[in-house]
Amino acid sequence: MNRTISVMKALAIIAMVAGHAELPGLLSNFIYIWHMPLFFMAAGYFFGTRHLADPWNFCTRRVKGLYIPFLKWSIIFLLLHNLWFDIGILNEEYGNWEGGVTHPYTLRDFWRRVWLCVTSMSGYDEFLTGAFCFFRGLLVASILFVVFAKALEGVSMRGLRLQLWHIGAIICTGALLFNAFRLGMGFRIPVIPNGGLREIWGLFFFGMGVVYRRFEDAIGNRWWLTLICFTLLCLGAWFHTCGMNNKGQLIDVLTLPLTGLSGWVVMRHLATFIAAGQSAFARMMLFVGNNTLYIFIFHIISFKLVNPLKIWWYSLDPAQMGCHMVIHFNNHEDLFWILYTIVGVSVPLIVLQLYRQAKGRGIPTLAKAFRR
């Protein structure tokens, strides 16, 4: 694994957790306009001609790496959903920042959600696995890219056979035009939950990762370019331009590619310096970047460990444990978002490391116990 890309993924996952921890407005705006595009570009960065030679193997590995973990953990959290109500983790009084709440599931609710998880990668527990939309987005974007790329493989233009980066540029252009049509005409892809806007943006940035790989050495780390890109990110935060969400506007076709690519350039420059060192901080960032999957899955439930402290600090109603994703009280005035971020990143990795150590020492684990 490329050390620089691993550190970039670490920076992006920390930014994602901080965004879910409801950090103050401008900082939140700054994060959301680049952190998700970075993950899709990182995936595209590692796409090579070998994957076109064996697209079935590529798709199979994507299903194993994205769909299977999604399905497993979605169902586990659905099974535990009503238990969270019994122990106070969730309740029907406090909800998300828009006022929505969750409720215990009936048996019919449970099976309906399981069916949606299996068939469309939706239906998961929105309050504790709300970040799981990323798995569907990356899976759809990856498979769409390899399908389109395979269709374009071997095509010649003016007697010159298309190279992979040409194919990536064509797919990016098509994705951008499609999202312009989708946003301008209100069109939705009916077979993809939420209409497919995030997935097509994912396809665009996946393709940009392929294109960037071709010109990586020529672009390099130039301070003047990094400064320009950082300025664009600051302007995007100030004017609150859109990230990869499902509430886009036509103007996003112009702004999101700029902020997404700018975020990549800035984070790559920063990550290059971090990855070049051998300090404990560099090793920690590499570990975070190589294990982002577990942070995606468990950071929201990890937030619940901070809630009792905030309830005690402000003398709040204990039922606010059920807030999603964090307790909203005074969240733009205090610094609890920092603690939420630290816990949301570190706890899943600490548990993962303890599990690996126990497994390495031959200590029976829960998974082994169930297999027996």
PDB file of all heavy atoms in Angstrom, residues 143-175:
ATOM      1  N   ILE A 143     -17.948  -0.744  -9.832  1.00  0.00           N
ATOM      2  CA  ILE A 143     -18.455  -1.670 -10.847  1.00  0.00           C
ATOM      3  C   ILE A 143     -18.842  -0.921 -12.120  1.00  0.00           C
ATOM      4  O   ILE A 143     -18.572  -1.379 -13.245  1.00  0.00           O
ATOM      5  CB  ILE A 143     -19.627  -2.488 -10.288  1.00  0.00           C
ATOM      6  CG1 ILE A 143     -19.119  -3.426  -9.175  1.00  0.00           C
ATOM      7  CG2 ILE A 143     -20.328  -3.274 -11.389  1.00  0.00           C
ATOM      8  CD1 ILE A 143     -20.183  -4.257  -8.518  1.00  0.00           C
ATOM      9  N   LEU A 144     -19.465   0.251 -11.958  1.00  0.00           N
ATOM     10  CA  LEU A 144     -19.791   1.053 -13.138  1.00  0.00           C
ATOM     11  C   LEU A 144     -18.531   1.420 -13.907  1.00  0.00           C
ATOM     12  O   LEU A 144     -18.502   1.362 -15.147  1.00  0.00           O
ATOM     13  CB  LEU A 144     -20.542   2.323 -12.728  1.00  0.00           C
ATOM     14  CG  LEU A 144     -22.013   2.181 -12.359  1.00  0.00           C
ATOM     15  CD1 LEU A 144     -22.574   3.524 -11.927  1.00  0.00           C
ATOM     16  CD2 LEU A 144     -22.819   1.609 -13.525  1.00  0.00           C
ATOM     17  N   PHE A 145     -17.483   1.783 -13.181  1.00  0.00           N
ATOM     18  CA  PHE A 145     -16.254   2.180 -13.864  1.00  0.00           C
ATOM     19  C   PHE A 145     -15.673   1.023 -14.662  1.00  0.00           C
ATOM     20  O   PHE A 145     -15.296   1.194 -15.828  1.00  0.00           O
ATOM     21  CB  PHE A 145     -15.218   2.700 -12.868  1.00  0.00           C
ATOM     22  CG  PHE A 145     -13.993   3.263 -13.550  1.00  0.00           C
ATOM     23  CD1 PHE A 145     -13.948   4.601 -13.906  1.00  0.00           C
ATOM     24  CD2 PHE A 145     -12.904   2.453 -13.858  1.00  0.00           C
ATOM     25  CE1 PHE A 145     -12.847   5.126 -14.566  1.00  0.00           C
ATOM     26  CE2 PHE A 145     -11.793   2.963 -14.510  1.00  0.00           C
ATOM     27  CZ  PHE A 145     -11.762   4.305 -14.868  1.00  0.00           C
ATOM     28  N   VAL A 146     -15.592  -0.147 -14.071  1.00  0.00           N
ATOM     29  CA  VAL A 146     -14.978  -1.270 -14.788  1.00  0.00           C
ATOM     30  C   VAL A 146     -15.848  -1.699 -15.967  1.00  0.00           C
ATOM     31  O   VAL A 146     -15.324  -2.100 -17.025  1.00  0.00           O
ATOM     32  CB  VAL A 146     -14.694  -2.445 -13.830  1.00  0.00           C
ATOM     33  CG1 VAL A 146     -15.956  -3.214 -13.479  1.00  0.00           C
ATOM     34  CG2 VAL A 146     -13.663  -3.397 -14.424  1.00  0.00           C
ATOM     35  N   VAL A 147     -17.160  -1.588 -15.844  1.00  0.00           N
ATOM     36  CA  VAL A 147     -18.048  -1.928 -16.959  1.00  0.00           C
ATOM     37  C   VAL A 147     -17.845  -0.961 -18.121  1.00  0.00           C
ATOM     38  O   VAL A 147     -17.670  -1.364 -19.286  1.00  0.00           O
ATOM     39  CB  VAL A 147     -19.521  -1.929 -16.501  1.00  0.00           C
ATOM     40  CG1 VAL A 147     -20.466  -1.991 -17.704  1.00  0.00           C
ATOM     41  CG2 VAL A 147     -19.789  -3.097 -15.572  1.00  0.00           C
ATOM     42  N   PHE A 148     -17.854   0.345 -17.820  1.00  0.00           N
ATOM     43  CA  PHE A 148     -17.669   1.338 -18.873  1.00  0.00           C
ATOM     44  C   PHE A 148     -16.255   1.266 -19.460  1.00  0.00           C
ATOM     45  O   PHE A 148     -16.066   1.410 -20.672  1.00  0.00           O
ATOM     46  CB  PHE A 148     -17.934   2.746 -18.329  1.00  0.00           C
ATOM     47  CG  PHE A 148     -19.367   3.005 -17.982  1.00  0.00           C
ATOM     48  CD1 PHE A 148     -19.706   3.801 -16.899  1.00  0.00           C
ATOM     49  CD2 PHE A 148     -20.392   2.457 -18.731  1.00  0.00           C
ATOM     50  CE1 PHE A 148     -21.021   4.055 -16.575  1.00  0.00           C
ATOM     51  CE2 PHE A 148     -21.728   2.697 -18.416  1.00  0.00           C
ATOM     52  CZ  PHE A 148     -22.037   3.497 -17.340  1.00  0.00           C
ATOM     53  N   ALA A 149     -15.284   1.057 -18.591  1.00  0.00           N
ATOM     54  CA  ALA A 149     -13.903   0.982 -19.063  1.00  0.00           C
ATOM     55  C   ALA A 149     -13.709  -0.221 -19.975  1.00  0.00           C
ATOM     56  O   ALA A 149     -13.014  -0.144 -20.998  1.00  0.00           O
ATOM     57  CB  ALA A 149     -12.940   0.925 -17.878  1.00  0.00           C
ATOM     58  N   LYS A 150     -14.324  -1.328 -19.627  1.00  0.00           N
ATOM     59  CA  LYS A 150     -14.217  -2.531 -20.466  1.00  0.00           C
ATOM     60  C   LYS A 150     -14.875  -2.294 -21.820  1.00  0.00           C
ATOM     61  O   LYS A 150     -14.378  -2.768 -22.855  1.00  0.00           O
ATOM     62  CB  LYS A 150     -14.875  -3.710 -19.743  1.00  0.00           C
ATOM     63  CG  LYS A 150     -14.566  -5.070 -20.366  1.00  0.00           C
ATOM     64  CD  LYS A 150     -13.102  -5.415 -20.246  1.00  0.00           C
ATOM     65  CE  LYS A 150     -12.792  -6.765 -20.856  1.00  0.00           C
ATOM     66  NZ  LYS A 150     -11.338  -7.072 -20.819  1.00  0.00           N
ATOM     67  N   ALA A 151     -15.974  -1.553 -21.811  1.00  0.00           N
ATOM     68  CA  ALA A 151     -16.661  -1.259 -23.068  1.00  0.00           C
ATOM     69  C   ALA A 151     -15.817  -0.362 -23.966  1.00  0.00           C
ATOM     70  O   ALA A 151     -15.888  -0.461 -25.208  1.00  0.00           O
ATOM     71  CB  ALA A 151     -18.007  -0.601 -22.786  1.00  0.00           C
ATOM     72  N   LEU A 152     -15.022   0.518 -23.351  1.00  0.00           N
ATOM     73  CA  LEU A 152     -14.187   1.443 -24.122  1.00  0.00           C
ATOM     74  C   LEU A 152     -12.815   0.870 -24.459  1.00  0.00           C
ATOM     75  O   LEU A 152     -12.083   1.448 -25.266  1.00  0.00           O
ATOM     76  CB  LEU A 152     -14.000   2.751 -23.337  1.00  0.00           C
ATOM     77  CG  LEU A 152     -15.247   3.620 -23.173  1.00  0.00           C
ATOM     78  CD1 LEU A 152     -14.984   4.741 -22.172  1.00  0.00           C
ATOM     79  CD2 LEU A 152     -15.664   4.218 -24.523  1.00  0.00           C
ATOM     80  N   GLU A 153     -12.473  -0.234 -23.826  1.00  0.00           N
ATOM     81  CA  GLU A 153     -11.163  -0.835 -24.080  1.00  0.00           C
ATOM     82  C   GLU A 153     -11.057  -1.248 -25.545  1.00  0.00           C
ATOM     83  O   GLU A 153     -11.944  -1.876 -26.108  1.00  0.00           O
ATOM     84  CB  GLU A 153     -10.965  -2.055 -23.186  1.00  0.00           C
ATOM     85  CG  GLU A 153      -9.578  -2.670 -23.285  1.00  0.00           C
ATOM     86  CD  GLU A 153      -9.462  -3.949 -22.463  1.00  0.00           C
ATOM     87  OE1 GLU A 153     -10.508  -4.608 -22.263  1.00  0.00           O
ATOM     88  OE2 GLU A 153      -8.349  -4.273 -22.033  1.00  0.00           O
ATOM     89  N   GLY A 154      -9.956  -0.913 -26.152  1.00  0.00           N
ATOM     90  CA  GLY A 154      -9.748  -1.282 -27.542  1.00  0.00           C
ATOM     91  C   GLY A 154     -10.275  -0.271 -28.532  1.00  0.00           C
ATOM     92  O   GLY A 154     -10.020  -0.388 -29.738  1.00  0.00           O
ATOM     93  N   VAL A 155     -11.022   0.741 -28.057  1.00  0.00           N
ATOM     94  CA  VAL A 155     -11.520   1.784 -28.949  1.00  0.00           C
ATOM     95  C   VAL A 155     -10.357   2.667 -29.395  1.00  0.00           C
ATOM     96  O   VAL A 155      -9.467   2.992 -28.609  1.00  0.00           O
ATOM     97  CB  VAL A 155     -12.599   2.631 -28.238  1.00  0.00           C
ATOM     98  CG1 VAL A 155     -12.998   3.823 -29.093  1.00  0.00           C
ATOM     99  CG2 VAL A 155     -13.814   1.769 -27.913  1.00  0.00           C
ATOM    100  N   SER A 156     -10.368   3.052 -30.647  1.00  0.00           N
ATOM    101  CA  SER A 156      -9.316   3.919 -31.177  1.00  0.00           C
ATOM    102  C   SER A 156      -9.913   5.245 -31.605  1.00  0.00           C
ATOM    103  O   SER A 156     -11.059   5.314 -32.081  1.00  0.00           O
ATOM    104  CB  SER A 156      -8.626   3.255 -32.376  1.00  0.00           C
ATOM    105  OG  SER A 156      -8.001   2.053 -32.000  1.00  0.00           O
ATOM    106  N   MET A 157      -9.136   6.306 -31.423  1.00  0.00           N
ATOM    107  CA  MET A 157      -9.528   7.640 -31.869  1.00  0.00           C
ATOM    108  C   MET A 157      -8.394   8.199 -32.716  1.00  0.00           C
ATOM    109  O   MET A 157      -7.258   8.306 -32.251  1.00  0.00           O
ATOM    110  CB  MET A 157      -9.810   8.555 -30.678  1.00  0.00           C
ATOM    111  CG  MET A 157     -10.991   8.098 -29.819  1.00  0.00           C
ATOM    112  SD  MET A 157     -11.350   9.213 -28.431  1.00  0.00           S
ATOM    113  CE  MET A 157     -11.863  10.682 -29.332  1.00  0.00           C
ATOM    114  N   ARG A 158      -8.721   8.501 -33.987  1.00  0.00           N
ATOM    115  CA  ARG A 158      -7.723   9.001 -34.931  1.00  0.00           C
ATOM    116  C   ARG A 158      -6.535   8.046 -35.049  1.00  0.00           C
ATOM    117  O   ARG A 158      -5.387   8.464 -35.122  1.00  0.00           O
ATOM    118  CB  ARG A 158      -7.244  10.388 -34.519  1.00  0.00           C
ATOM    119  CG  ARG A 158      -8.341  11.448 -34.539  1.00  0.00           C
ATOM    120  CD  ARG A 158      -7.792  12.813 -34.197  1.00  0.00           C
ATOM    121  NE  ARG A 158      -8.850  13.827 -34.230  1.00  0.00           N
ATOM    122  CZ  ARG A 158      -8.659  15.132 -33.973  1.00  0.00           C
ATOM    123  NH1 ARG A 158      -7.428  15.553 -33.677  1.00  0.00           N
ATOM    124  NH2 ARG A 158      -9.654  15.987 -34.027  1.00  0.00           N
ATOM    125  N   GLY A 159      -6.856   6.784 -35.015  1.00  0.00           N
ATOM    126  CA  GLY A 159      -5.833   5.775 -35.182  1.00  0.00           C
ATOM    127  C   GLY A 159      -5.045   5.445 -33.939  1.00  0.00           C
ATOM    128  O   GLY A 159      -4.188   4.552 -33.968  1.00  0.00           O
ATOM    129  N   LEU A 160      -5.313   6.137 -32.817  1.00  0.00           N
ATOM    130  CA  LEU A 160      -4.603   5.880 -31.569  1.00  0.00           C
ATOM    131  C   LEU A 160      -5.517   5.148 -30.594  1.00  0.00           C
ATOM    132  O   LEU A 160      -6.660   5.565 -30.368  1.00  0.00           O
ATOM    133  CB  LEU A 160      -4.126   7.196 -30.940  1.00  0.00           C
ATOM    134  CG  LEU A 160      -3.101   7.999 -31.745  1.00  0.00           C
ATOM    135  CD1 LEU A 160      -2.796   9.316 -31.034  1.00  0.00           C
ATOM    136  CD2 LEU A 160      -1.818   7.197 -31.937  1.00  0.00           C
ATOM    137  N   ARG A 161      -5.005   4.052 -30.059  1.00  0.00           N
ATOM    138  CA  ARG A 161      -5.793   3.283 -29.114  1.00  0.00           C
ATOM    139  C   ARG A 161      -5.873   4.009 -27.778  1.00  0.00           C
ATOM    140  O   ARG A 161      -4.882   4.550 -27.289  1.00  0.00           O
ATOM    141  CB  ARG A 161      -5.169   1.904 -28.907  1.00  0.00           C
ATOM    142  CG  ARG A 161      -5.998   0.978 -28.049  1.00  0.00           C
ATOM    143  CD  ARG A 161      -5.411  -0.419 -28.041  1.00  0.00           C
ATOM    144  NE  ARG A 161      -6.198  -1.307 -27.212  1.00  0.00           N
ATOM    145  CZ  ARG A 161      -5.954  -2.606 -27.094  1.00  0.00           C
ATOM    146  NH1 ARG A 161      -4.947  -3.152 -27.768  1.00  0.00           N
ATOM    147  NH2 ARG A 161      -6.715  -3.361 -26.318  1.00  0.00           N
ATOM    148  N   LEU A 162      -7.067   4.022 -27.182  1.00  0.00           N
ATOM    149  CA  LEU A 162      -7.254   4.715 -25.910  1.00  0.00           C
ATOM    150  C   LEU A 162      -6.450   4.056 -24.801  1.00  0.00           C
ATOM    151  O   LEU A 162      -6.472   2.836 -24.642  1.00  0.00           O
ATOM    152  CB  LEU A 162      -8.733   4.720 -25.517  1.00  0.00           C
ATOM    153  CG  LEU A 162      -9.692   5.517 -26.405  1.00  0.00           C
ATOM    154  CD1 LEU A 162     -11.110   5.375 -25.879  1.00  0.00           C
ATOM    155  CD2 LEU A 162      -9.296   6.993 -26.461  1.00  0.00           C
ATOM    156  N   GLN A 163      -5.734   4.871 -24.037  1.00  0.00           N
ATOM    157  CA  GLN A 163      -5.059   4.391 -22.844  1.00  0.00           C
ATOM    158  C   GLN A 163      -6.021   4.461 -21.663  1.00  0.00           C
ATOM    159  O   GLN A 163      -7.102   5.064 -21.751  1.00  0.00           O
ATOM    160  CB  GLN A 163      -3.811   5.222 -22.566  1.00  0.00           C
ATOM    161  CG  GLN A 163      -2.773   5.180 -23.669  1.00  0.00           C
ATOM    162  CD  GLN A 163      -1.580   6.047 -23.341  1.00  0.00           C
ATOM    163  OE1 GLN A 163      -1.226   6.249 -22.170  1.00  0.00           O
ATOM    164  NE2 GLN A 163      -0.941   6.579 -24.378  1.00  0.00           N
ATOM    165  N   LEU A 164      -5.612   3.868 -20.547  1.00  0.00           N
ATOM    166  CA  LEU A 164      -6.510   3.822 -19.397  1.00  0.00           C
ATOM    167  C   LEU A 164      -6.892   5.213 -18.919  1.00  0.00           C
ATOM    168  O   LEU A 164      -8.047   5.459 -18.567  1.00  0.00           O
ATOM    169  CB  LEU A 164      -5.852   3.033 -18.249  1.00  0.00           C
ATOM    170  CG  LEU A 164      -6.702   2.863 -16.993  1.00  0.00           C
ATOM    171  CD1 LEU A 164      -8.019   2.156 -17.305  1.00  0.00           C
ATOM    172  CD2 LEU A 164      -5.931   2.097 -15.919  1.00  0.00           C
ATOM    173  N   TRP A 165      -5.953   6.138 -18.920  1.00  0.00           N
ATOM    174  CA  TRP A 165      -6.277   7.481 -18.421  1.00  0.00           C
ATOM    175  C   TRP A 165      -7.222   8.207 -19.376  1.00  0.00           C
ATOM    176  O   TRP A 165      -8.043   9.020 -18.943  1.00  0.00           O
ATOM    177  CB  TRP A 165      -5.022   8.293 -18.153  1.00  0.00           C
ATOM    178  CG  TRP A 165      -4.304   8.830 -19.364  1.00  0.00           C
ATOM    179  CD1 TRP A 165      -3.309   8.244 -20.058  1.00  0.00           C
ATOM    180  CD2 TRP A 165      -4.543  10.104 -19.970  1.00  0.00           C
ATOM    181  NE1 TRP A 165      -2.902   9.048 -21.090  1.00  0.00           N
ATOM    182  CE2 TRP A 165      -3.632  10.201 -21.057  1.00  0.00           C
ATOM    183  CE3 TRP A 165      -5.404  11.161 -19.725  1.00  0.00           C
ATOM    184  CZ2 TRP A 165      -3.572  11.318 -21.892  1.00  0.00           C
ATOM    185  CZ3 TRP A 165      -5.366  12.277 -20.549  1.00  0.00           C
ATOM    186  CH2 TRP A 165      -4.454  12.349 -21.619  1.00  0.00           C
ATOM    187  N   HIS A 166      -7.117   7.893 -20.700  1.00  0.00           N
ATOM    188  CA  HIS A 166      -8.104   8.447 -21.643  1.00  0.00           C
ATOM    189  C   HIS A 166      -9.502   7.936 -21.301  1.00  0.00           C
ATOM    190  O   HIS A 166     -10.471   8.700 -21.279  1.00  0.00           O
ATOM    191  CB  HIS A 166      -7.762   8.024 -23.078  1.00  0.00           C
ATOM    192  CG  HIS A 166      -6.495   8.592 -23.604  1.00  0.00           C
ATOM    193  ND1 HIS A 166      -5.552   7.824 -24.248  1.00  0.00           N
ATOM    194  CD2 HIS A 166      -5.998   9.847 -23.577  1.00  0.00           C
ATOM    195  CE1 HIS A 166      -4.539   8.583 -24.615  1.00  0.00           C
ATOM    196  NE2 HIS A 166      -4.780   9.825 -24.209  1.00  0.00           N
ATOM    197  N   ILE A 167      -9.565   6.640 -21.034  1.00  0.00           N
ATOM    198  CA  ILE A 167     -10.851   6.034 -20.687  1.00  0.00           C
ATOM    199  C   ILE A 167     -11.398   6.670 -19.410  1.00  0.00           C
ATOM    200  O   ILE A 167     -12.595   6.983 -19.314  1.00  0.00           O
ATOM    201  CB  ILE A 167     -10.684   4.513 -20.519  1.00  0.00           C
ATOM    202  CG1 ILE A 167     -10.341   3.873 -21.871  1.00  0.00           C
ATOM    203  CG2 ILE A 167     -11.932   3.884 -19.916  1.00  0.00           C
ATOM    204  CD1 ILE A 167      -9.987   2.395 -21.790  1.00  0.00           C
ATOM    205  N   GLY A 168     -10.515   6.856 -18.418  1.00  0.00           N
ATOM    206  CA  GLY A 168     -10.944   7.492 -17.173  1.00  0.00           C
ATOM    207  C   GLY A 168     -11.483   8.887 -17.411  1.00  0.00           C
ATOM    208  O   GLY A 168     -12.507   9.281 -16.832  1.00  0.00           O
ATOM    209  N   ALA A 169     -10.824   9.657 -18.277  1.00  0.00           N
ATOM    210  CA  ALA A 169     -11.273  11.023 -18.566  1.00  0.00           C
ATOM    211  C   ALA A 169     -12.630  11.018 -19.264  1.00  0.00           C
ATOM    212  O   ALA A 169     -13.494  11.862 -18.975  1.00  0.00           O
ATOM    213  CB  ALA A 169     -10.226  11.738 -19.424  1.00  0.00           C
ATOM    214  N   ILE A 170     -12.844  10.072 -20.161  1.00  0.00           N
ATOM    215  CA  ILE A 170     -14.135   9.977 -20.857  1.00  0.00           C
ATOM    216  C   ILE A 170     -15.245   9.633 -19.872  1.00  0.00           C
ATOM    217  O   ILE A 170     -16.341  10.224 -19.897  1.00  0.00           O
ATOM    218  CB  ILE A 170     -14.059   8.923 -21.983  1.00  0.00           C
ATOM    219  CG1 ILE A 170     -13.123   9.400 -23.090  1.00  0.00           C
ATOM    220  CG2 ILE A 170     -15.450   8.630 -22.546  1.00  0.00           C
ATOM    221  CD1 ILE A 170     -12.814   8.348 -24.127  1.00  0.00           C
ATOM    222  N   ILE A 171     -14.977   8.683 -18.992  1.00  0.00           N
ATOM    223  CA  ILE A 171     -15.984   8.288 -18.000  1.00  0.00           C
ATOM    224  C   ILE A 171     -16.277   9.450 -17.053  1.00  0.00           C
ATOM    225  O   ILE A 171     -17.440   9.697 -16.703  1.00  0.00           O
ATOM    226  CB  ILE A 171     -15.513   7.042 -17.230  1.00  0.00           C
ATOM    227  CG1 ILE A 171     -15.453   5.835 -18.177  1.00  0.00           C
ATOM    228  CG2 ILE A 171     -16.446   6.744 -16.050  1.00  0.00           C
ATOM    229  CD1 ILE A 171     -14.864   4.583 -17.547  1.00  0.00           C
ATOM    230  N   CYS A 172     -15.250  10.182 -16.638  1.00  0.00           N
ATOM    231  CA  CYS A 172     -15.457  11.349 -15.770  1.00  0.00           C
ATOM    232  C   CYS A 172     -16.340  12.385 -16.454  1.00  0.00           C
ATOM    233  O   CYS A 172     -17.253  12.952 -15.830  1.00  0.00           O
ATOM    234  CB  CYS A 172     -14.113  11.989 -15.411  1.00  0.00           C
ATOM    235  SG  CYS A 172     -13.136  11.070 -14.217  1.00  0.00           S
ATOM    236  N   THR A 173     -16.072  12.640 -17.728  1.00  0.00           N
ATOM    237  CA  THR A 173     -16.876  13.609 -18.481  1.00  0.00           C
ATOM    238  C   THR A 173     -18.330  13.156 -18.560  1.00  0.00           C
ATOM    239  O   THR A 173     -19.257  13.948 -18.346  1.00  0.00           O
ATOM    240  CB  THR A 173     -16.308  13.785 -19.895  1.00  0.00           C
ATOM    241  OG1 THR A 173     -14.940  14.216 -19.816  1.00  0.00           O
ATOM    242  CG2 THR A 173     -17.106  14.817 -20.676  1.00  0.00           C
ATOM    243  N   GLY A 174     -18.530  11.867 -18.834  1.00  0.00           N
ATOM    244  CA  GLY A 174     -19.885  11.337 -18.896  1.00  0.00           C
ATOM    245  C   GLY A 174     -20.603  11.440 -17.557  1.00  0.00           C
ATOM    246  O   GLY A 174     -21.789  11.795 -17.508  1.00  0.00           O
ATOM    247  N   ALA A 175     -19.893  11.127 -16.464  1.00  0.00           N
ATOM    248  CA  ALA A 175     -20.499  11.209 -15.129  1.00  0.00           C
ATOM    249  C   ALA A 175     -20.882  12.651 -14.798  1.00  0.00           C
ATOM    250  O   ALA A 175     -21.951  12.905 -14.226  1.00  0.00           O
ATOM    251  CB  ALA A 175     -19.531  10.660 -14.082  1.00  0.00           C
TER     252      ALA A 175
END
